[in-house]
Amino acid sequence: MARYHNIVILTGAGLSAESGLSTFRDKGGIWAKYDYRDVATPEGFRANPALVHDFYNQRRRDHADVHPNAAHIALARLEREHRGSVDIITQNIDALHEAAGSQNLIHMHGELLKALCTHCGERNAWTGDMNLDTRCPNCGRSGGMRPDVVWFGEMPYEMERIYMLLAAADLFISIGTSGNVYPAAGFVAEARSAGAHTLELNLEPSEGATLFHEARYGAATKIVPAVVDELLAARN
Ligand code: APR
Ligand code: ZN
């Protein structure tokens, strides 16, 4: 493994799979049980807010008993010990990167454990259930609270900062994502055109597999710690 300075890492649901959180497109995944149009679009929320609140209430409850796995922990170690920069762009709305100790983190699809008030725009940490009667802690009004999660058709967060990071990267690693959803699926091409070496770590080849210079396939808790060890060994 060569020496790199600015490492940018994109993570997806496959990273949290071994922590017990379902992925979206694997067999039995979330989109096999729910139609994303009903629970992950603004239109779906308008049409049936109670269904959407139930969907995220259940995911918050599931989140209470899960812990970061060896892959999350290895990425936090890389950030601590690497001599250059390590930035994680996650598509995941869980809080497992934070729980493992990662700090340079962008939640481009928002966060499950955050609430957004559509009346006053205030964001608050939120671990409990939410429904139409829930009052905003800031403006006190009800009927306007929603998960602070980016739905299909909405603009992901911090895109400007993301493209700056990709332009400065000399190593781009994609972990546990199927490469189905843009703009995240386009990040490898951005990094490549900036001259970065690109590496895919996944259970199986993703939709964008051919865009990567290098790939390793296997369970994240096995292949991610191994790559982190190699990157840290290369700095000596
Ligand atoms: N280790 C490594 N990779 C794994 C593991 C594992 N243990 N388990 C599954 N994977 C891989 C699968 O092979 C798949 O390629 O993780 C990927 C998960 O793909 P998706 O379920 O499509 O999840 P993701 O790519 O994160 O979805 C992107 O789509 O629905 C939206 O907003 C949602 O952020 C999500 C986005
Ligand atoms: Zn409010």
Short mmCIF file of all heavy atoms in Angstrom, two decimals, residues 109-176:
data_model
loop_
_atom_site.label_atom_id
_atom_site.label_comp_id
_atom_site.label_asym_id
_atom_site.label_seq_id
_atom_site.Cartn_x
_atom_site.Cartn_y
_atom_site.Cartn_z
N HIS A 109 -26.77 12.19 4.12
CA HIS A 109 -28.21 11.87 4.07
C HIS A 109 -28.91 12.18 5.39
O HIS A 109 -30.02 11.71 5.63
CB HIS A 109 -28.41 10.39 3.72
CG HIS A 109 -28.07 10.09 2.29
ND1 HIS A 109 -27.89 8.81 1.83
CD2 HIS A 109 -27.85 10.90 1.21
CE1 HIS A 109 -27.59 8.84 0.53
NE2 HIS A 109 -27.55 10.10 0.15
N GLY A 110 -28.24 13.00 6.23
CA GLY A 110 -28.85 13.38 7.50
C GLY A 110 -28.62 12.33 8.58
O GLY A 110 -27.80 11.43 8.42
N GLU A 111 -29.34 12.49 9.70
CA GLU A 111 -29.11 11.66 10.87
C GLU A 111 -30.43 11.18 11.49
O GLU A 111 -31.32 11.98 11.75
CB GLU A 111 -28.31 12.46 11.92
CG GLU A 111 -26.93 12.85 11.43
CD GLU A 111 -26.19 13.73 12.42
OE1 GLU A 111 -25.93 13.25 13.54
OE2 GLU A 111 -25.90 14.88 12.08
N LEU A 112 -30.50 9.89 11.75
CA LEU A 112 -31.70 9.28 12.36
C LEU A 112 -31.98 9.90 13.72
O LEU A 112 -33.14 10.12 14.10
CB LEU A 112 -31.47 7.77 12.50
CG LEU A 112 -32.57 6.94 13.13
CD1 LEU A 112 -33.84 6.98 12.28
CD2 LEU A 112 -32.09 5.50 13.30
N LEU A 113 -30.92 10.20 14.48
CA LEU A 113 -31.10 10.69 15.86
C LEU A 113 -31.14 12.22 15.92
O LEU A 113 -30.68 12.83 16.88
CB LEU A 113 -30.01 10.11 16.77
CG LEU A 113 -29.91 8.58 16.78
CD1 LEU A 113 -28.89 8.11 17.79
CD2 LEU A 113 -31.27 7.93 17.02
N LYS A 114 -31.68 12.82 14.83
CA LYS A 114 -31.88 14.28 14.83
C LYS A 114 -33.28 14.57 14.30
O LYS A 114 -33.81 13.85 13.45
CB LYS A 114 -30.87 14.96 13.91
CG LYS A 114 -29.50 15.23 14.54
CD LYS A 114 -29.08 16.68 14.32
CE LYS A 114 -27.74 16.96 14.95
NZ LYS A 114 -26.64 16.89 13.95
N ALA A 115 -33.89 15.64 14.83
CA ALA A 115 -35.23 16.05 14.38
C ALA A 115 -35.13 17.44 13.78
O ALA A 115 -34.30 18.25 14.20
CB ALA A 115 -36.19 16.06 15.55
N LEU A 116 -35.97 17.70 12.80
CA LEU A 116 -36.00 19.02 12.15
C LEU A 116 -37.43 19.55 12.25
O LEU A 116 -38.40 18.83 11.95
CB LEU A 116 -35.61 18.85 10.67
CG LEU A 116 -35.81 20.04 9.73
CD1 LEU A 116 -34.93 21.22 10.15
CD2 LEU A 116 -35.47 19.63 8.29
N CYS A 117 -37.56 20.81 12.69
CA CYS A 117 -38.90 21.42 12.75
C CYS A 117 -39.14 22.19 11.45
O CYS A 117 -38.37 23.11 11.11
CB CYS A 117 -38.99 22.38 13.94
SG CYS A 117 -40.53 23.34 13.94
N THR A 118 -40.19 21.81 10.71
CA THR A 118 -40.43 22.48 9.42
C THR A 118 -41.09 23.85 9.63
O THR A 118 -41.21 24.62 8.69
CB THR A 118 -41.35 21.61 8.52
OG1 THR A 118 -42.54 21.33 9.26
CG2 THR A 118 -40.67 20.32 8.14
N HIS A 119 -41.47 24.14 10.88
CA HIS A 119 -42.01 25.49 11.13
C HIS A 119 -40.87 26.49 11.32
O HIS A 119 -40.84 27.53 10.69
CB HIS A 119 -42.89 25.48 12.41
CG HIS A 119 -44.15 24.69 12.28
ND1 HIS A 119 -44.98 24.75 11.19
CD2 HIS A 119 -44.71 23.77 13.12
CE1 HIS A 119 -46.02 23.94 11.36
NE2 HIS A 119 -45.88 23.33 12.51
N CYS A 120 -39.90 26.13 12.21
CA CYS A 120 -38.87 27.14 12.53
C CYS A 120 -37.48 26.75 12.05
O CYS A 120 -36.53 27.53 12.20
CB CYS A 120 -38.86 27.39 14.05
SG CYS A 120 -38.21 25.99 14.99
N GLY A 121 -37.34 25.54 11.51
CA GLY A 121 -36.03 25.15 10.96
C GLY A 121 -35.03 24.67 12.00
O GLY A 121 -33.90 24.33 11.69
N GLU A 122 -35.45 24.62 13.27
CA GLU A 122 -34.53 24.20 14.35
C GLU A 122 -34.23 22.71 14.23
O GLU A 122 -35.14 21.92 13.91
CB GLU A 122 -35.21 24.49 15.70
CG GLU A 122 -34.42 24.05 16.92
CD GLU A 122 -33.40 25.12 17.35
OE1 GLU A 122 -33.27 26.12 16.63
OE2 GLU A 122 -32.78 24.94 18.40
N ARG A 123 -32.98 22.31 14.50
CA ARG A 123 -32.61 20.88 14.55
C ARG A 123 -32.30 20.53 15.99
O ARG A 123 -31.67 21.30 16.71
CB ARG A 123 -31.37 20.64 13.69
CG ARG A 123 -31.67 20.66 12.21
CD ARG A 123 -30.43 20.35 11.36
NE ARG A 123 -30.83 20.04 10.00
CZ ARG A 123 -31.11 20.98 9.09
NH1 ARG A 123 -31.01 22.26 9.41
NH2 ARG A 123 -31.50 20.65 7.88
N ASN A 124 -32.78 19.38 16.41
CA ASN A 124 -32.51 18.91 17.78
C ASN A 124 -32.12 17.45 17.77
O ASN A 124 -32.60 16.69 16.92
CB ASN A 124 -33.80 19.04 18.62
CG ASN A 124 -34.13 20.47 18.97
OD1 ASN A 124 -33.53 21.05 19.87
ND2 ASN A 124 -35.03 21.08 18.24
N ALA A 125 -31.28 17.07 18.74
CA ALA A 125 -31.02 15.63 18.94
C ALA A 125 -32.35 14.98 19.29
O ALA A 125 -33.19 15.59 19.96
CB ALA A 125 -30.01 15.44 20.06
N TRP A 126 -32.58 13.74 18.76
CA TRP A 126 -33.88 13.09 19.01
C TRP A 126 -33.71 11.58 19.06
O TRP A 126 -33.37 10.98 18.07
CB TRP A 126 -34.88 13.45 17.88
CG TRP A 126 -36.29 13.36 18.36
CD1 TRP A 126 -37.09 12.26 18.36
CD2 TRP A 126 -37.03 14.43 18.95
NE1 TRP A 126 -38.31 12.58 18.90
CE2 TRP A 126 -38.30 13.90 19.29
CE3 TRP A 126 -36.76 15.76 19.24
CZ2 TRP A 126 -39.29 14.67 19.88
CZ3 TRP A 126 -37.74 16.54 19.82
CH2 TRP A 126 -38.99 15.99 20.14
N THR A 127 -33.90 10.98 20.22
CA THR A 127 -33.71 9.51 20.30
C THR A 127 -35.06 8.79 20.46
O THR A 127 -35.15 7.60 20.24
CB THR A 127 -32.82 9.15 21.51
OG1 THR A 127 -33.38 9.79 22.66
CG2 THR A 127 -31.38 9.61 21.29
N GLY A 128 -36.09 9.52 20.86
CA GLY A 128 -37.39 8.87 21.15
C GLY A 128 -38.28 8.84 19.92
O GLY A 128 -37.85 9.10 18.81
N ASP A 129 -39.56 8.50 20.15
CA ASP A 129 -40.53 8.49 19.05
C ASP A 129 -40.92 9.93 18.69
O ASP A 129 -40.62 10.87 19.42
CB ASP A 129 -41.79 7.72 19.49
CG ASP A 129 -41.56 6.21 19.46
OD1 ASP A 129 -40.43 5.81 19.10
OD2 ASP A 129 -42.49 5.46 19.80
N MET A 130 -41.55 10.06 17.52
CA MET A 130 -42.00 11.36 17.04
C MET A 130 -43.33 11.12 16.31
O MET A 130 -43.52 10.08 15.70
CB MET A 130 -40.95 11.88 16.05
CG MET A 130 -41.11 13.30 15.61
SD MET A 130 -39.99 13.69 14.25
CE MET A 130 -38.40 13.47 15.03
N ASN A 131 -44.25 12.08 16.44
CA ASN A 131 -45.48 11.96 15.66
C ASN A 131 -46.04 13.35 15.37
O ASN A 131 -45.40 14.35 15.70
CB ASN A 131 -46.51 11.07 16.40
CG ASN A 131 -46.82 11.64 17.77
OD1 ASN A 131 -47.01 12.87 17.90
ND2 ASN A 131 -46.81 10.80 18.78
N LEU A 132 -47.21 13.40 14.82
CA LEU A 132 -47.77 14.70 14.39
C LEU A 132 -48.03 15.63 15.57
O LEU A 132 -48.04 16.84 15.43
CB LEU A 132 -49.07 14.48 13.61
CG LEU A 132 -48.88 14.23 12.10
CD1 LEU A 132 -50.21 13.92 11.44
CD2 LEU A 132 -48.21 15.42 11.43
N ASP A 133 -48.23 15.01 16.77
CA ASP A 133 -48.51 15.88 17.94
C ASP A 133 -47.24 16.36 18.62
O ASP A 133 -47.29 17.21 19.52
CB ASP A 133 -49.34 15.10 18.98
CG ASP A 133 -50.64 14.58 18.35
OD1 ASP A 133 -51.14 15.26 17.42
OD2 ASP A 133 -51.10 13.49 18.75
N THR A 134 -46.09 15.82 18.20
CA THR A 134 -44.83 16.19 18.87
C THR A 134 -44.59 17.69 18.74
O THR A 134 -44.70 18.25 17.65
CB THR A 134 -43.66 15.41 18.24
OG1 THR A 134 -43.94 14.02 18.32
CG2 THR A 134 -42.35 15.71 18.95
N ARG A 135 -44.27 18.32 19.89
CA ARG A 135 -44.03 19.76 19.87
C ARG A 135 -42.55 20.04 19.64
O ARG A 135 -41.68 19.33 20.15
CB ARG A 135 -44.45 20.40 21.21
CG ARG A 135 -45.94 20.48 21.36
CD ARG A 135 -46.39 21.41 22.50
NE ARG A 135 -47.87 21.46 22.48
CZ ARG A 135 -48.58 22.12 21.56
NH1 ARG A 135 -47.95 22.78 20.59
NH2 ARG A 135 -49.89 22.10 21.55
N CYS A 136 -42.28 21.09 18.88
CA CYS A 136 -40.89 21.51 18.66
C CYS A 136 -40.36 22.14 19.95
O CYS A 136 -41.01 23.05 20.51
CB CYS A 136 -40.85 22.55 17.54
SG CYS A 136 -39.30 23.45 17.42
N PRO A 137 -39.17 21.70 20.44
CA PRO A 137 -38.63 22.27 21.68
C PRO A 137 -38.30 23.75 21.53
O PRO A 137 -38.18 24.49 22.49
CB PRO A 137 -37.34 21.47 21.91
CG PRO A 137 -37.39 20.31 20.99
CD PRO A 137 -38.33 20.67 19.87
N ASN A 138 -38.17 24.20 20.29
CA ASN A 138 -37.77 25.60 20.08
C ASN A 138 -38.99 26.53 19.92
O ASN A 138 -39.14 27.49 20.65
CB ASN A 138 -36.89 25.68 18.80
CG ASN A 138 -36.44 27.08 18.51
OD1 ASN A 138 -35.85 27.74 19.37
ND2 ASN A 138 -36.76 27.55 17.31
N CYS A 139 -39.88 26.20 18.96
CA CYS A 139 -40.99 27.14 18.72
C CYS A 139 -42.29 26.68 19.37
O CYS A 139 -43.29 27.40 19.36
CB CYS A 139 -41.21 27.33 17.21
SG CYS A 139 -41.91 25.90 16.37
N GLY A 140 -42.27 25.44 19.90
CA GLY A 140 -43.42 24.97 20.66
C GLY A 140 -44.59 24.49 19.80
O GLY A 140 -45.58 23.99 20.31
N ARG A 141 -44.45 24.64 18.48
CA ARG A 141 -45.58 24.23 17.63
C ARG A 141 -45.51 22.73 17.33
O ARG A 141 -44.43 22.13 17.27
CB ARG A 141 -45.56 25.03 16.32
CG ARG A 141 -46.12 26.45 16.49
CD ARG A 141 -46.04 27.24 15.20
NE ARG A 141 -44.68 27.78 15.01
CZ ARG A 141 -44.34 28.49 13.93
NH1 ARG A 141 -45.21 28.66 12.93
NH2 ARG A 141 -43.13 28.99 13.82
N SER A 142 -46.67 22.12 17.13
CA SER A 142 -46.71 20.69 16.75
C SER A 142 -47.07 20.61 15.26
O SER A 142 -47.26 21.64 14.60
CB SER A 142 -47.80 19.98 17.57
OG SER A 142 -49.05 20.58 17.29
N GLY A 143 -47.07 19.37 14.76
CA GLY A 143 -47.48 19.16 13.36
C GLY A 143 -46.40 19.48 12.35
O GLY A 143 -46.60 19.36 11.14
N GLY A 144 -45.19 19.86 12.85
CA GLY A 144 -44.15 20.21 11.87
C GLY A 144 -42.85 19.45 12.05
O GLY A 144 -41.88 19.69 11.35
N MET A 145 -42.82 18.52 13.00
CA MET A 145 -41.56 17.81 13.27
C MET A 145 -41.36 16.66 12.27
O MET A 145 -42.30 15.94 11.95
CB MET A 145 -41.58 17.23 14.69
CG MET A 145 -41.65 18.29 15.77
SD MET A 145 -40.19 19.33 15.80
CE MET A 145 -39.07 18.26 16.72
N ARG A 146 -40.12 16.50 11.80
CA ARG A 146 -39.78 15.39 10.88
C ARG A 146 -38.38 14.90 11.21
O ARG A 146 -37.58 15.63 11.82
CB ARG A 146 -39.85 15.81 9.42
CG ARG A 146 -38.90 16.92 9.03
CD ARG A 146 -38.80 17.09 7.52
NE ARG A 146 -37.79 16.17 6.94
CZ ARG A 146 -37.47 16.14 5.64
NH1 ARG A 146 -38.05 16.97 4.79
NH2 ARG A 146 -36.57 15.31 5.18
N PRO A 147 -38.06 13.66 10.80
CA PRO A 147 -36.68 13.20 11.00
C PRO A 147 -35.74 14.11 10.18
O PRO A 147 -36.11 14.50 9.06
CB PRO A 147 -36.68 11.78 10.44
CG PRO A 147 -38.11 11.39 10.27
CD PRO A 147 -38.90 12.64 10.13
N ASP A 148 -34.57 14.42 10.71
CA ASP A 148 -33.62 15.24 9.93
C ASP A 148 -32.85 14.32 9.01
O ASP A 148 -31.63 14.14 9.11
CB ASP A 148 -32.67 15.98 10.88
CG ASP A 148 -31.79 16.95 10.09
OD1 ASP A 148 -32.12 17.25 8.92
OD2 ASP A 148 -30.75 17.36 10.64
N VAL A 149 -33.58 13.71 8.08
CA VAL A 149 -33.04 12.73 7.12
C VAL A 149 -33.32 13.26 5.72
O VAL A 149 -34.38 13.83 5.47
CB VAL A 149 -33.76 11.35 7.33
CG1 VAL A 149 -33.40 10.37 6.24
CG2 VAL A 149 -33.39 10.76 8.69
N VAL A 150 -32.36 13.09 4.80
CA VAL A 150 -32.53 13.57 3.42
C VAL A 150 -33.30 12.52 2.62
O VAL A 150 -32.82 11.40 2.47
CB VAL A 150 -31.16 13.84 2.78
CG1 VAL A 150 -31.33 14.27 1.32
CG2 VAL A 150 -30.40 14.92 3.56
N TRP A 151 -34.47 12.84 2.14
CA TRP A 151 -35.29 11.90 1.38
C TRP A 151 -34.98 11.96 -0.11
O TRP A 151 -34.34 12.91 -0.58
CB TRP A 151 -36.76 12.22 1.63
CG TRP A 151 -37.21 11.79 3.01
CD1 TRP A 151 -36.77 10.71 3.72
CD2 TRP A 151 -38.18 12.45 3.85
NE1 TRP A 151 -37.40 10.65 4.95
CE2 TRP A 151 -38.28 11.68 5.03
CE3 TRP A 151 -38.98 13.57 3.70
CZ2 TRP A 151 -39.15 12.03 6.07
CZ3 TRP A 151 -39.84 13.93 4.73
CH2 TRP A 151 -39.92 13.16 5.91
N PHE A 152 -35.41 10.97 -0.84
CA PHE A 152 -35.21 10.96 -2.29
C PHE A 152 -35.83 12.23 -2.87
O PHE A 152 -36.93 12.62 -2.47
CB PHE A 152 -35.86 9.72 -2.90
CG PHE A 152 -35.11 8.46 -2.63
CD1 PHE A 152 -35.45 7.66 -1.54
CD2 PHE A 152 -34.03 8.08 -3.41
CE1 PHE A 152 -34.75 6.50 -1.26
CE2 PHE A 152 -33.32 6.92 -3.14
CZ PHE A 152 -33.68 6.13 -2.06
N GLY A 153 -35.10 12.89 -3.74
CA GLY A 153 -35.62 14.13 -4.34
C GLY A 153 -35.19 15.36 -3.57
O GLY A 153 -35.38 16.49 -4.01
N GLU A 154 -34.60 15.16 -2.36
CA GLU A 154 -34.11 16.32 -1.60
C GLU A 154 -32.59 16.43 -1.79
O GLU A 154 -31.92 15.45 -2.12
CB GLU A 154 -34.45 16.14 -0.11
CG GLU A 154 -35.96 16.16 0.14
CD GLU A 154 -36.32 16.09 1.61
OE1 GLU A 154 -35.64 15.34 2.37
OE2 GLU A 154 -37.28 16.76 2.02
N MET A 155 -32.05 17.60 -1.56
CA MET A 155 -30.62 17.84 -1.75
C MET A 155 -29.82 17.29 -0.56
O MET A 155 -30.10 17.66 0.57
CB MET A 155 -30.38 19.35 -1.89
CG MET A 155 -28.93 19.75 -2.05
SD MET A 155 -28.14 18.94 -3.44
CE MET A 155 -28.47 20.15 -4.70
N PRO A 156 -28.86 16.37 -0.83
CA PRO A 156 -28.03 15.90 0.28
C PRO A 156 -27.31 17.08 0.93
O PRO A 156 -27.09 18.11 0.31
CB PRO A 156 -27.05 14.93 -0.38
CG PRO A 156 -27.74 14.51 -1.64
CD PRO A 156 -28.53 15.71 -2.08
N TYR A 157 -26.86 16.88 2.18
CA TYR A 157 -26.19 17.94 2.94
C TYR A 157 -24.71 18.06 2.53
O TYR A 157 -24.10 17.10 2.14
CB TYR A 157 -26.27 17.64 4.44
CG TYR A 157 -27.67 17.74 5.03
CD1 TYR A 157 -28.03 17.01 6.14
CD2 TYR A 157 -28.63 18.58 4.46
CE1 TYR A 157 -29.30 17.10 6.69
CE2 TYR A 157 -29.91 18.67 5.00
CZ TYR A 157 -30.23 17.94 6.12
OH TYR A 157 -31.50 18.03 6.66
N GLU A 158 -24.19 19.30 2.67
CA GLU A 158 -22.76 19.60 2.58
C GLU A 158 -22.11 19.19 1.25
O GLU A 158 -20.94 18.78 1.23
CB GLU A 158 -22.01 18.96 3.76
CG GLU A 158 -22.57 19.35 5.12
CD GLU A 158 -21.47 19.51 6.16
OE1 GLU A 158 -20.46 20.14 5.87
OE2 GLU A 158 -21.65 18.96 7.27
N MET A 159 -22.86 19.30 0.17
CA MET A 159 -22.30 18.87 -1.12
C MET A 159 -21.08 19.71 -1.53
O MET A 159 -20.13 19.18 -2.10
CB MET A 159 -23.37 18.94 -2.21
CG MET A 159 -24.45 17.86 -2.09
SD MET A 159 -23.77 16.19 -1.92
CE MET A 159 -22.99 16.02 -3.50
N GLU A 160 -21.08 21.00 -1.23
CA GLU A 160 -19.92 21.84 -1.64
C GLU A 160 -18.66 21.35 -0.94
O GLU A 160 -17.62 21.14 -1.57
CB GLU A 160 -20.18 23.29 -1.25
CG GLU A 160 -20.24 24.21 -2.48
CD GLU A 160 -20.67 25.62 -2.13
OE1 GLU A 160 -19.81 26.36 -1.60
OE2 GLU A 160 -21.85 25.91 -2.36
N ARG A 161 -18.81 21.10 0.34
CA ARG A 161 -17.63 20.66 1.13
C ARG A 161 -17.18 19.27 0.63
O ARG A 161 -16.00 18.98 0.52
CB ARG A 161 -18.02 20.60 2.61
CG ARG A 161 -16.83 20.30 3.49
CD ARG A 161 -17.01 20.76 4.92
NE ARG A 161 -16.28 19.80 5.77
CZ ARG A 161 -16.84 19.06 6.73
NH1 ARG A 161 -18.14 19.19 6.99
NH2 ARG A 161 -16.12 18.20 7.43
N ILE A 162 -18.14 18.44 0.28
CA ILE A 162 -17.82 17.09 -0.23
C ILE A 162 -17.01 17.20 -1.50
O ILE A 162 -15.96 16.55 -1.65
CB ILE A 162 -19.12 16.28 -0.45
CG1 ILE A 162 -19.73 15.87 0.89
CG2 ILE A 162 -18.86 15.06 -1.34
CD1 ILE A 162 -21.12 15.27 0.81
N TYR A 163 -17.43 18.02 -2.45
CA TYR A 163 -16.70 18.11 -3.72
C TYR A 163 -15.31 18.70 -3.51
O TYR A 163 -14.34 18.32 -4.18
CB TYR A 163 -17.49 18.90 -4.77
CG TYR A 163 -18.63 18.07 -5.33
CD1 TYR A 163 -19.96 18.46 -5.20
CD2 TYR A 163 -18.37 16.84 -5.97
CE1 TYR A 163 -21.00 17.65 -5.68
CE2 TYR A 163 -19.40 16.04 -6.45
CZ TYR A 163 -20.71 16.45 -6.30
OH TYR A 163 -21.73 15.65 -6.76
N MET A 164 -15.16 19.60 -2.50
CA MET A 164 -13.82 20.14 -2.20
C MET A 164 -12.93 19.01 -1.68
O MET A 164 -11.77 18.88 -2.07
CB MET A 164 -13.92 21.25 -1.16
CG MET A 164 -14.13 22.62 -1.77
SD MET A 164 -14.57 23.86 -0.53
CE MET A 164 -13.54 23.43 0.85
N LEU A 165 -13.48 18.18 -0.79
CA LEU A 165 -12.69 17.07 -0.24
C LEU A 165 -12.28 16.10 -1.36
O LEU A 165 -11.13 15.65 -1.42
CB LEU A 165 -13.50 16.32 0.82
CG LEU A 165 -13.74 17.06 2.13
CD1 LEU A 165 -14.74 16.29 2.99
CD2 LEU A 165 -12.42 17.26 2.88
N LEU A 166 -13.19 15.82 -2.27
CA LEU A 166 -12.89 14.86 -3.36
C LEU A 166 -11.81 15.42 -4.28
O LEU A 166 -10.92 14.71 -4.75
CB LEU A 166 -14.16 14.56 -4.17
CG LEU A 166 -15.25 13.79 -3.42
CD1 LEU A 166 -16.55 13.77 -4.23
CD2 LEU A 166 -14.79 12.37 -3.09
N ALA A 167 -11.84 16.76 -4.47
CA ALA A 167 -10.86 17.39 -5.38
C ALA A 167 -9.45 17.36 -4.78
O ALA A 167 -8.47 17.41 -5.50
CB ALA A 167 -11.28 18.84 -5.65
N ALA A 168 -9.39 17.25 -3.44
CA ALA A 168 -8.07 17.29 -2.78
C ALA A 168 -7.58 15.90 -2.37
O ALA A 168 -6.48 15.76 -1.83
CB ALA A 168 -8.15 18.18 -1.55
N ALA A 169 -8.39 14.88 -2.64
CA ALA A 169 -8.05 13.53 -2.15
C ALA A 169 -6.94 12.89 -2.99
O ALA A 169 -6.90 13.09 -4.22
CB ALA A 169 -9.28 12.64 -2.22
N ASP A 170 -6.05 12.13 -2.33
CA ASP A 170 -5.15 11.28 -3.15
C ASP A 170 -5.48 9.81 -2.97
O ASP A 170 -4.95 8.93 -3.63
CB ASP A 170 -3.66 11.57 -2.86
CG ASP A 170 -3.29 11.42 -1.40
OD1 ASP A 170 -4.17 11.09 -0.58
OD2 ASP A 170 -2.12 11.62 -1.07
N LEU A 171 -6.43 9.54 -2.02
CA LEU A 171 -6.97 8.18 -1.89
C LEU A 171 -8.47 8.29 -1.57
O LEU A 171 -8.85 9.02 -0.66
CB LEU A 171 -6.26 7.41 -0.77
CG LEU A 171 -6.81 6.00 -0.47
CD1 LEU A 171 -6.67 5.08 -1.69
CD2 LEU A 171 -6.10 5.39 0.74
N PHE A 172 -9.27 7.59 -2.38
CA PHE A 172 -10.73 7.54 -2.15
C PHE A 172 -11.11 6.08 -1.93
O PHE A 172 -10.83 5.23 -2.77
CB PHE A 172 -11.48 8.09 -3.38
CG PHE A 172 -12.97 7.95 -3.30
CD1 PHE A 172 -13.73 8.82 -2.53
CD2 PHE A 172 -13.64 6.92 -3.99
CE1 PHE A 172 -15.12 8.70 -2.44
CE2 PHE A 172 -15.03 6.78 -3.90
CZ PHE A 172 -15.77 7.67 -3.13
N ILE A 173 -11.73 5.83 -0.77
CA ILE A 173 -12.14 4.45 -0.45
C ILE A 173 -13.66 4.42 -0.30
O ILE A 173 -14.21 5.22 0.45
CB ILE A 173 -11.50 3.96 0.87
CG1 ILE A 173 -9.99 4.17 0.88
CG2 ILE A 173 -11.83 2.48 1.10
CD1 ILE A 173 -9.33 3.80 2.21
N SER A 174 -14.32 3.53 -1.01
CA SER A 174 -15.78 3.36 -0.90
C SER A 174 -16.02 2.06 -0.14
O SER A 174 -15.45 1.02 -0.50
CB SER A 174 -16.40 3.28 -2.30
OG SER A 174 -17.78 2.99 -2.21
N ILE A 175 -16.85 2.12 0.91
CA ILE A 175 -17.05 0.94 1.76
C ILE A 175 -18.55 0.66 1.94
O ILE A 175 -19.29 1.53 2.40
CB ILE A 175 -16.44 1.14 3.17
CG1 ILE A 175 -14.97 1.58 3.08
CG2 ILE A 175 -16.56 -0.14 4.00
CD1 ILE A 175 -14.34 1.92 4.43
N GLY A 176 -18.99 -0.54 1.58
CA GLY A 176 -20.33 -1.01 1.93
C GLY A 176 -21.46 -0.26 1.28
O GLY A 176 -22.50 -0.02 1.89
#
